[in-house]
Amino acid sequence: MPHLLSITDDEVEILINDVLDQYGYDFTGYSRASLKRRLVRIYALDKHVSFAEYRYKVINDPIYFKRFVEQITVNVTEMFRDPSFYKALRYKVLPNLGTYPFIRIWLAGCSTGEEAFSMAIVLKELGLLHKSLIYATDINPVVLEKAAEGMFPLSQMKQYSENYIASGGPKDFSSYYSANYAMAKFDPELRKKMIFSTHNLVSDHSFNEFQLILCRNVLIYFDRDLQFKVLQLFDNSLESLGYLALGTKETTDFSPISKNYKRLESEKIWRKTS
Amino acid sequence: MENKTALIIGGSAGSLDVLIRVLPDIDINIQFPIVIVVHRKQGTDSILSDLLATKTTLRVKELEEKETILDGCIYVVPSDYHLLIEKDYTFSLDYSEKVNYSRPSIDVTFQSAADIYKDRLVCLLLSGSNADGVNGLIMVKKMGGKAWVQDPESAQVSYMPAQAILKANIDKVLKIEEMAGYINALTSY
Ligand SMILES: C[S@@+](CC[C@H](N)C(=O)[O-])C[C@H]1O[C@@H](n2cnc3c(N)ncnc32)[C@H](O)[C@@H]1O
């Protein structure tokens, strides 16, 4: 069992600095408790024999570093996670955006794509998919490759179908995929309106103006300063009267942008007022 | 940095009744936070903290991400996230893989808290049907903290505390009616 004693706090800082110097990936604003847990996990998974050897490998082996980034980020996700959130999208947010000629949506930290396909399903059912574009980004290129395939484990479909129904989904969820061995292959039609691309929220800039930005369960990994910086990036990327959606335990409260946003009652969705 | 004390209580099946019986007897002047990590169904968060709040005059709340941990406050971990503790005594939530089929996992929080509070940490493991929390208690002991468990004989489901007694070096095995007394005495610890 990996435990937190295998790496010291100082060694965590050393690795973070190495990764910044060597590769330009900046993890300095990440919450240390989670980062340390991930670093310890990689240490055990990859059977490193000492911190020195671990460090050497990260600095000198770019292929290993790719794996390192893949493993240091937490990529757990679900389709229609938090059904009440998707219900609010379906009944409140998207019908409003439906009056626009064109809908641009940014999913920041989209992981393996479950969120993007959920979004596309709701858009399709509202008759909006044809005039929407979903930009799905993540720091981790490996998850994006998976996302683009639109295949998710068949074993999850029961749970996802329940989530979908609870979120107000009117159809038979299984009509959206075909079984392919252990995987559910989603309707390629849904994939057509998605663009997958790497984007690092820490260092990359705004790249478009959107009517809706979703960034769920990503800010929890950042310290307060970095959260505020990223919220500012979202503010710069959101049209007036656009919507910003965060994870169930995340908030714009206390941040400098909060004064320009009004929350939709019970969900973690805010509308930009000015 | 000053050394802070904390009490973390972990539990699963059968632990809610214990909390309901123990909370009313906890002294309102305790000088440390109490963090409660219990397994439960998703989406039942406010129900649990509201219920526990009716049992004590101490402040009970579902903890929030990056919130500063205050003495004399009882924090409940939200469902479906792991809880980690930061060096500056704030909470971080984490949505990583389940541990012991659980999220929140008691092991994850016990271990993270042990890393921060070291020998000033007390962890109490209650009734439950899996072994989540046992590895956490082992780490707590390694860092010099104290490991307490509910007396398996008094537990609705004895597996969790019994496993802890088997595998970790437990400091105290407590009956439900003894718990509040030991907790109140921690103030001067
Ligand atoms: C827990 S997942 C959340 C997935 C999905 N949004 C959800 O809520 O189910 C967090 C994602 O954020 C990504 N991430 C972490 N740091 C990032 C950064 N600096 N820029 C962009 N994405 C990042 C991770 O790679 C991971 O895929």
Side-chain angles (χ1 to χ4, degrees):
Chain A
M1 233 254 336
H3 66 71
L4 294 169
L5 300 179
S6 45
I7 298 182
T8 67
D9 292 346
D10 291 343
E11 287 166 347
V12 170
E13 300 307 316
I14 291 172
L15 263 180
I16 292 174
N17 285 325
D18 288 344
V19 163
L20 180 59
D21 289 348
Q22 190 72 14
Y23 300 99
Y25 275 88
D26 185 355
F27 291 106
T28 56
Y30 280 53
S31 299
R32 289 303 189 268
S34 167
L35 209 52
K36 185 171 180 187
R37 225 183 131 234
R38 298 307 281 183
L39 290 170
V40 165
R41 186 171 164 274
I42 300 171
Y43 190 107
L45 274 179
D46 296 348
K47 305 195 167 57
H48 290 295
V49 292
S50 66
F51 175 72
E53 182 263 340
Y54 186 6
R55 182 181 181 202
Y56 183 87
K57 186 110 176 143
V58 170
I59 298 178
N60 294 298
D61 183 344
I63 295 172
Y64 182 72
F65 178 70
K66 200 175 163 211
R67 169 176 168 77
F68 178 83
V69 171
E70 186 191 336
Q71 292 295 328
I72 204 171
T73 53
V74 172
N75 302 121
V76 176
T77 184
E78 265 179 38
M79 289 187 83
F80 292 97
R81 173 164 192 218
D82 309 315
S84 66
F85 168 76
Y86 282 93
K87 202 173 216 164
L89 275 188
R90 178 186 294 272
Y91 292 111
K92 293 184 186 146
V93 174
L94 294 174
N96 254 327
L97 297 179
T99 58
Y100 290 63
F102 198 72
I103 309 171
R104 278 185 308 274
I105 300 170
W106 180 15
L107 305 186
C110 68
S111 191
T112 39
E114 283 82 341
E115 216 170 35
F117 280 84
S118 307
M119 177 70 84
I121 287 173
V122 181
L123 286 166
K124 186 165 179 197
E125 290 176 355
L126 295 175
L128 300 174
L129 187 59
H130 68 282
K131 61 169 180 176
S132 304
L133 208 47
I134 301 171
Y135 293 77
T137 65
D138 202 283
I139 189 179
N140 179 349
V142 180
V143 292
L144 292 172
E145 281 164 29
K146 284 194 195 144
E149 288 175 3
M151 296 215 278
F152 308 117
L154 207 49
S155 57
Q156 297 287 335
M157 291 305 131
K158 188 171 167 285
Q159 174 70 50
Y160 293 173
S161 170
E162 285 167 16
N163 290 354
Y164 166 79
I165 292 165
S167 77
K171 307 238 299 206
D172 179 357
F173 189 65
S174 65
S175 66
Y176 287 110
Y177 61 84
S178 49
N180 192 335
Y181 299 97
M183 303 299 274
K185 167 100 183 119
F186 276 73
D187 185 355
E189 186 69 23
L190 300 169
R191 164 76 179 81
K192 278 195 186 138
K193 296 296 184 172
M194 299 176 192
I195 296 173
F196 293 101
S197 164
T198 53
H199 181 279
N200 186 342
L201 291 167
V202 179
S203 49
D204 292 338
H205 296 285
S206 174
F207 57 96
N208 212 327
E209 276 225 318
F210 300 93
Q211 283 96 24
L212 169 61
I213 299 177
L214 258 77
C215 182
R216 309 184 70 224
N217 300 303
V218 181
L219 296 183
I220 47 175
Y221 296 102
F222 298 167
D223 65 24
R224 271 277 158 86
D225 288 344
L226 182 55
Q227 289 180 352
F228 292 174
K229 193 183 139 194
V230 172
L231 287 171
Q232 190 62 59
L233 169 69
F234 292 149
D235 189 47
N236 296 339
S237 312
L238 196 64
E239 273 184 24
S240 174
L241 299 180
Y243 295 90
L244 173 64
L246 303 178
T248 44
K249 301 301 166 195
E250 295 161 334
T251 182
T252 59
D253 293 353
F254 322 115
S255 80
I257 72 160
S258 70
K259 58 184 185 306
N260 301 329
Y261 285 78
K262 197 170 163 334
R263 182 160 166 203
L264 262 69
E265 303 114 61
S266 55
E267 293 303 323
K268 290 298 179 74
I269 303 175
W270 286 263
R271 189 163 201 192
K272 188 170 179 174
T273 50
S274 61
Chain B
M1 207 189 296
E2 66 181 310
N3 280 329
K4 289 188 179 276
T5 300
L7 169 67
I8 319 245
I9 303 177
S12 189
S15 62
L16 191 55
D17 286 352
V18 183
L19 291 169
I20 287 171
R21 282 178 59 190
V22 173
L23 285 193
D25 296 327
I26 294 187
D27 195 334
I28 61 158
N29 295 315
I30 55 166
Q31 298 296 313
F32 53 87
I34 300 179
V35 180
I36 296 174
V37 188
V38 287
H39 298 157
R40 64 192 184 284
K41 276 215 201 74
Q42 227 171 301
T44 49
D45 289 340
S46 50
I47 304 172
L48 179 62
S49 44
D50 289 352
L51 172 67
L52 295 179
T54 64
K55 303 295 167 192
T56 169
T57 46
L58 285 158
R59 181 146 181 256
V60 180
K61 64 170 304 208
E62 186 191 311
L63 62 90
E64 283 166 70
E65 197 267 323
K66 301 285 149 37
E67 176 173 10
T68 300
I69 306 171
L70 298 177
D71 291 342
C73 195
I74 300 179
Y75 297 97
V76 180
V77 179
S79 63
D80 211 27
Y81 288 86
H82 293 305
L83 172 68
L84 303 173
I85 316 270
E86 300 288 343
K87 249 193 249 177
D88 60 356
Y89 302 108
T90 57
F91 293 121
S92 272
L93 294 172
D94 169 271
Y95 188 62
S96 57
E97 298 77 5
K98 290 183 177 178
V99 174
N100 307 314
Y101 308 100
S102 309
R103 192 174 48 223
S105 150
I106 302 166
D107 273 344
V108 167
T109 301
F110 280 4
Q111 288 167 348
S112 176
D115 198 28
I116 301 300
Y117 290 99
K118 307 204 160 64
D119 62 335
R120 312 287 300 177
L121 177 69
V122 181
C123 287
L124 166 60
L125 191 63
L126 304 177
S127 168
S129 58
N130 73 8
D132 191 23
V134 174
N135 283 324
L137 288 180
I138 294 171
M139 163 112 176
V140 169
K141 288 303 297 173
K142 224 175 234 157
M143 301 303 286
K146 297 225 179 321
W148 297 354
V149 294
Q150 179 177 359
D151 183 350
E153 303 235 325
S154 75
Q156 274 179 33
V157 188
S158 61
Y159 187 78
M160 204 150 90
Q163 282 294 304
I165 292 168
L166 211 61
K167 303 213 167 108
N169 179 9
I170 300 300
D171 295 288
K172 280 197 169 63
V173 178
L174 299 173
K175 294 191 175 50
I176 297 172
E177 44 302 351
E178 295 174 324
M179 288 178 186
Y182 277 97
I183 291 171
N184 292 335
L186 283 179
T187 299
S188 51
Y189 156 72

